Amino acid sequence: MTVITRFAPSPTGKLHVGNIRTALVCWLAARAAGGTFLLRLDDTDSARSTEENVVAIREDLAWLGLVPDGEVRQSDRFALYEAAFEGLHAAGRVYPCYESEEELAIKRRVALGRGLPPIYDRAALALTVEERHRLEADGIRPHWRFRLDAVPIEWTDLVRGPQRFEGAALSDPVVRRADGSWLYLLPSVIDDIDMKVSHVVRGEDHVSNTAVQIQMFAALGAAIPHFAHMALLVGADGKLSKREGSIGVGAIRQDGIEPQALLALLARIGTSDPVMPVAQAGDLIAGFAFSHMGRAPARFDSAELAQLNAKTLHLLPYAAVRDRLPAGTSEAGWLALRPNLATLNDIVEGQAMIDGPIAAAPLTAEDRLFCAQAAEAAAAIDWSVSPWAALTGALKTTSGRKGKALFLPLRQALTGRDHGPEMAALLPLIGRERAIERLRTAAA
Ligand code: GLU
């Protein structure tokens, strides 16, 4: 089977972590099967959709490396919806309704008062042609409902397993407003059919939509696609916190998070597989399976993301980051500095340890003497092999120092810091002249 997935955000806002997880799973499912990953912009709501959001969605997906194989916009497809709607009308599967919001609210209250489910009573289905004409002559334009069949609706969800709804227990959904504009349900099905979507992947908040959409697929004479409804995303505390799931991609980018780190976390939370850093998003494809996704909420923890980001950076080869490094950072510099980075922004400070300027804290009189000794030793050693081993070896003998007393003042004098990358990797990059000069400055 050809796997075709679509990510269908509404450009009424910016993408957030929850959307990205959906996009990622759509992308993984398509790539794992050699299939197609499409972007569908659900912009039927012209009042709330903006071009700025459309551009931001494309940019965010590009930054993440989740590049769609094609894109459609619902606002370009009204003729398609109109044609399908006409067919459904002719077949009696959509019908006009004339109730106002207030009337519907009263009906719901009455039903609830009688202990009945607040489903639409289909009063409009019983209207005669004359009654409809009279209502329309009174200036009431109808909205349209899809007529559900009163049969059980069943599917095997790729994440949630067997699902069953009773058609008779569901309200006929409104699919079109009185002004002719479209609600989400029907255009989505028409598009999924037209785009030959094989797997509809989305959040579990859409499960009950799926029940009615399955009848729409059937009413339109189409095969029912596979469905995968992912569990919700929750915060680290396990609460259904809107905040974590609503963190925007922009904010994550600004925090210096690498796209691979975000994707590696989102690919694995809520699954039976461990979270692991990857050098590129493609490395997540082989391990992907819907069957590994759990029904329990997936925990998204910003602290875990920060840790994963560091581990991700530690994996990245020079070629992957070269364009984003400070001008002076060589491949050896990257390899020396990489193990100590939490975000790539830290590289600026790291590079300054190599080519300066550094601001060393003043040393004790004893340590200053030691640095004077070290400057002499640095001038005498062979720099071609392992200058750090040579320098510390020589100083161990001449100063009698060892351990922290030996290493810390040297690190402070040579880098201006108490902590940092391995001195063995750093010292050759600092180089003989600069090292001697820094040690002399520290000794003064
Ligand atoms: N625009 C809908 C949403 O963002 C799409 C749902 C779907 O994937 O069918 O919720």
Side-chain angles (χ1 to χ4, degrees):
M1 180 187 41
T2 318
V3 171
I4 301 180
T5 60
R6 85 310 192 262
F7 170 50
S10 304
T12 52
K14 302 279 188 290
L15 295 184
H16 53 69
V17 172
N19 300 132
I20 292 304
R21 180 153 160 268
T22 305
L24 172 62
V25 174
C26 288
W27 182 82
L28 287 171
R31 291 289 172 268
T36 303
F37 166 65
L38 301 172
L39 173 63
R40 186 184 86 199
L41 294 159
D42 284 3
D43 60 349
T44 54
D45 184 346
S46 58
R48 289 171 58 232
S49 301
T50 71
E51 207 49 37
E52 187 199 333
N53 289 331
V54 168
V55 170
I57 287 169
R58 290 193 194 118
E59 277 175 6
D60 285 345
L61 290 177
W63 176 72
L64 289 157
L66 305 180
V67 181
D69 301 312
E71 175 188 307
V72 303
R73 292 179 74 143
Q74 290 197 317
S75 57
D76 292 337
R77 299 164 68 82
F78 291 137
L80 185 69
Y81 307 153
E82 200 65 57
F85 180 82
E86 283 313 317
L88 291 173
H89 187 202
R93 289 307 295 267
V94 291
Y95 60 94
C97 300
Y98 300 84
E99 293 93 345
S100 65
E101 282 298 333
E102 295 72 37
E103 283 172 281
L104 291 171
I106 293 168
K107 281 180 194 243
R108 278 194 295 269
R109 268 204 303 278
V110 170
L112 286 170
R114 290 192 188 139
L116 298 170
I119 61 177
Y120 178 59
D121 63 6
R122 292 184 162 169
L125 260 185
L127 294 173
T128 62
V129 178
E130 294 72 41
E131 284 169 324
R132 285 212 305 268
H133 285 164
R134 210 172 312 129
L135 286 161
E136 284 172 30
D138 285 348
I140 303 179
R141 290 172 66 190
H143 57 276
W144 296 80
R145 288 186 190 260
F146 179 77
R147 186 175 55 73
L148 289 168
D149 278 336
V151 296
I153 304 164
E154 294 177 315
W155 78 95
T156 302
D157 197 278
L158 295 173
V159 176
R160 298 165 61 83
Q163 304 290 301
R164 183 186 164 110
F165 284 79
E166 296 303 329
L170 300 170
S171 227
D172 287 345
V174 177
V175 293
R176 200 168 187 184
R177 298 185 189 89
D179 66 2
S181 65
W182 301 97
L183 283 111
Y184 151 76
L185 285 168
L186 184 58
S188 178
V189 171
I190 297 167
D191 284 333
D192 286 339
I193 295 169
D194 183 64
M195 293 160 76
K196 302 185 172 54
V197 170
S198 65
H199 290 66
V200 173
V201 180
R202 54 194 181 190
E204 66 181 13
D205 49 325
H206 282 286
V207 169
S208 59
N209 286 338
T210 296
V212 306
Q213 286 181 324
I214 281 178
Q215 288 209 359
M216 292 175 179
F217 278 100
L220 290 165
I224 313 297
H226 294 280
F227 289 95
H229 290 93
M230 296 184 292
L232 290 175
L233 208 61
V234 296
D237 54 5
K239 292 212 187 97
L240 298 180
S241 108
K242 265 246 177 276
R243 204 186 61 81
E244 300 265 15
S246 66
I247 298 175
V249 178
I252 285 180
R253 244 171 119 163
Q254 247 162 27
D255 284 350
I257 299 294
E258 300 297 314
Q260 302 95 312
L262 178 61
L263 296 179
L265 186 65
L266 291 176
R268 293 295 172 80
I269 51 174
T271 76
S272 50
D273 302 313
V275 173
M276 301 223 286
V278 294
Q280 50 200 6
D283 297 347
L284 297 164
I285 296 169
F288 172 78
F290 283 114
S291 59
H292 296 187
M293 300 181 76
R295 289 192 60 171
R299 280 168 193 251
F300 179 81
D301 181 352
S302 311
E304 188 179 9
L305 178 59
Q307 280 168 13
L308 190 62
N309 193 60
K311 288 187 194 153
T312 303
L313 286 170
H314 307 167
L315 286 179
L316 295 184
Y318 182 58
V321 289
R322 186 173 18 210
D323 299 346
R324 296 158 61 207
L325 296 179
T329 308
S330 63
E331 176 156 17
W334 169 246
L335 295 177
L337 298 171
R338 181 177 81 163
N340 287 73
L341 302 177
T343 74
L344 197 65
N345 304 334
D346 300 343
I347 192 85
V348 175
E349 243 176 74
Q351 182 61 32
M353 288 187 218
I354 295 173
D355 53 17
I358 63 159
L363 299 175
T364 62
E366 233 178 303
D367 281 347
R368 287 206 299 278
L369 277 177
F370 172 61
C371 283
Q373 243 178 337
E376 273 173 45
I381 58 164
D382 174 8
W383 278 76
S384 63
V385 194
S386 309
W388 178 246
L391 179 67
T392 53
L395 285 168
K396 211 180 256 178
T397 318
T398 53
S399 71
R401 291 188 180 218
K402 57 184 180 175
K404 194 175 164 191
L406 173 68
F407 299 120
L408 185 60
L410 290 177
R411 176 181 284 283
Q412 288 169 329
L414 288 165
T415 69
R417 317 200 152 254
D418 296 347
H419 304 281
E422 291 289 338
M423 288 303 300
L426 223 44
L427 190 55
L429 299 168
I430 294 170
R432 184 178 186 274
E433 304 319 314
R434 260 193 308 245
I436 294 171
E437 187 195 306
R438 288 180 188 180
L439 289 166
R440 286 199 182 130
T441 307

